[in-house]
Amino acid sequence: MTVEQLSEEERKSWLRALPGWSLCRDGDAIERKFEFADFSEAFAFMTRVAMIAEARDHHPEWFNVYNRVEITLTTHDASGLSLRDVKMARKIDALLA
């Protein structure tokens, strides 16, 4: 199944609906930085994200130092940003609601 890359207009539109996320890699990915009270909270958050990623078979690129987590989403099968990334970002955001 082919995964379609979002158009420039779609990227802009979806980005407006994803507060806290920003375009990176020349529009081929989105990223967000999170900060927690301590390492345990950050790691718990990463664990919840990992469970979503496994269920959706869509895995983030991420970086963690102590209480900070940085997540980048892109779809390698689409060679850029796709609706899969938007949906994943929304699921990640829902964890913080």
Side-chain angles (χ1 to χ4, degrees):
M1 181 164 107
T2 303
V3 180
E4 296 292 322
Q5 189 178 120
L6 295 177
S7 69
E8 184 176 345
E9 186 58 39
E10 289 171 323
R11 286 191 300 257
K12 289 178 185 176
S13 178
W14 278 115
L15 194 59
R16 286 190 294 271
L18 294 170
W21 293 87
S22 59
L23 284 174
C24 62
R25 299 184 188 167
D26 295 325
D28 286 337
I30 54 176
E31 67 182 1
R32 183 167 178 191
K33 298 175 182 175
F34 302 87
E35 190 169 324
F36 300 91
D38 55 30
F39 178 75
S40 293
E41 281 190 24
F43 193 81
F45 171 74
M46 291 176 69
T47 300
R48 292 191 304 274
V49 172
M51 300 303 286
I52 293 168
E54 277 296 298
R56 299 173 86 67
D57 193 28
H58 191 56
H59 303 89
E61 298 173 17
W62 55 15
F63 178 77
N64 164 247
V65 173
Y66 184 60
N67 67 331
R68 296 185 324 264
V69 177
E70 298 175 15
I71 296 178
T72 302
L73 298 172
T74 189
T75 303
H76 299 284
D77 292 342
S79 298
L81 196 60
S82 78
L83 193 54
R84 294 182 78 191
D85 303 305
V86 171
K87 291 179 178 179
M88 185 69 175
R90 294 180 83 168
K91 287 285 189 184
I92 291 168
D93 288 346
L95 293 174
L96 303 172

